[in-house]
Amino acid sequence: MILYIGTSGYSYNEWKGSFYPTDLPSREMLHYYGGQFNSVEINNTFHRMPKDSMLEGWRDEVPETFRFVLKAPQRITHINRLNNVADQVSYLFDVAGVLGRRLGAVLFQLPPSLKKDLPLLHDLLALIPPGRRVALQFQHRSWLDDEVFALLHRNDAALCIADVEGELEIPAVATATWGYLRLRRPEYQVEDLRKWAELVRGRGWSEAFIFFKHEDEAKGPLFARRFVEAVSG
């Protein structure tokens, strides 16, 4: 199993002095980050559709073995709520293709107010180009049933296992040949990380993406490094 481990975002000045060298120019952050971790979840694509030139710049800053995950724009998930989004999804994947082999997956995070709608999910998955990977993060309990899991399985789409303090608990169901975890709690003890590592090892995935939430104190990179140690141990 290949593990892609990193953080949600990388461009944080608050990380200078703890993760990044104090004098590191912001334009060199991704190159430095790519020397420490092999994947990153890009969240700023949630706020605006990415541009070719931006992705080309990112692609050239990291090793070929590095993988980006792009969070689908909120216009698709939160504003249009997956309705009539064929053109936007097509454009997103066309632009994302600039990353080439470095594109790991696209994360669709549905709004908490969007309840289970199987035909809507079916139509979204039908828009995904062959060979592209998508993960779905559901935030309403109604989605968490066998019918939805079966639809994801038929499309090799990963159920995003999100661990968020005080929010919906997601079952650790493997709906695809690969896995996707978002570990978002403000604190993870070593024993916590070992339990997550055991879960990942036991799912039978060929690959898995694991991302930690960024914090001003740069705890995300710390947890990511400790997780690497936990899965290696």
Side-chain angles (χ1 to χ4, degrees):
M1 177 172 49
I2 302 173
L3 297 180
Y4 294 104
I5 301 168
T7 59
S8 296
Y10 68 89
S11 182
Y12 305 111
N13 286 325
E14 296 85 355
W15 290 8
K16 290 185 177 182
S18 52
F19 175 67
Y20 293 120
T22 304
D23 58 351
L24 185 74
S26 296
R27 66 180 180 277
E28 296 180 16
M29 283 182 174
L30 180 56
H31 180 76
Y32 182 92
Y33 178 98
Q36 306 295 313
F37 298 114
N38 65 353
S39 191
V40 67
E41 182 187 77
I42 299 293
N43 285 318
N44 69 14
T45 52
F46 177 74
H47 302 288
R48 62 190 66 84
M49 190 72 75
K51 295 182 178 180
D52 295 37
S53 57
M54 179 176 66
L55 298 190
E56 287 173 355
W58 291 348
R59 179 193 65 201
D60 296 340
E61 288 291 327
V62 296
E64 188 176 350
T65 54
F66 190 92
R67 297 292 181 267
F68 290 94
V69 171
L70 305 182
K71 191 173 180 181
Q74 62 181 336
R75 179 164 295 279
I76 294 174
T77 56
H78 287 58
I79 298 175
N80 290 344
R81 298 167 69 85
L82 305 187
N83 288 288
N84 303 313
V85 294
D87 289 345
Q88 296 165 55
V89 171
S90 176
Y91 181 80
L92 171 63
F93 279 94
D94 282 347
V95 174
V98 169
L99 292 170
R101 291 173 53 85
R102 293 174 180 81
L103 176 62
V106 172
L107 171 67
F108 288 84
Q109 182 190 56
L110 305 191
S113 60
L114 184 58
K115 298 179 181 179
K116 177 186 172 183
D117 187 328
L118 207 64
L120 195 64
L121 179 60
H122 177 275
D123 290 347
L124 172 68
L125 294 174
L127 297 174
I128 308 305
R132 295 302 188 191
R133 288 177 165 176
V134 295
L136 277 294
Q137 182 178 352
F138 302 114
Q139 299 190 89
H140 191 280
R141 190 175 305 278
S142 60
W143 291 98
L144 304 178
D145 68 16
D146 291 341
E147 197 173 30
V148 172
F149 299 156
L151 179 57
L152 294 179
H153 179 73
R154 289 196 296 273
N155 290 272
D156 199 34
L159 171 68
C160 173
I161 302 172
D163 181 41
V164 187
E165 189 174 47
E167 296 189 15
L168 182 64
E169 184 174 346
I170 307 297
V173 176
T175 63
T177 57
W178 58 287
Y180 198 100
L181 278 68
R182 302 184 88 214
L183 304 182
R184 322 295 289 168
R185 293 180 183 270
E187 289 292 341
Y188 284 98
Q189 303 301 321
V190 172
E191 188 56 37
D192 300 325
L193 298 176
R194 285 175 180 162
K195 289 179 181 178
W196 282 108
E198 289 174 7
L199 183 147
V200 169
R201 284 195 292 257
R203 296 299 98 175
W205 289 319
S206 60
E207 298 179 356
F209 296 85
I210 301 98
F211 297 111
F212 291 88
K213 182 180 178 181
H214 77 83
E215 297 288 347
D216 291 347
E217 303 87 6
K219 289 183 180 179
L222 174 64
F223 296 150
R225 283 173 168 164
R226 288 178 177 172
F227 190 85
V228 171
E229 295 172 358
V231 294
S232 301

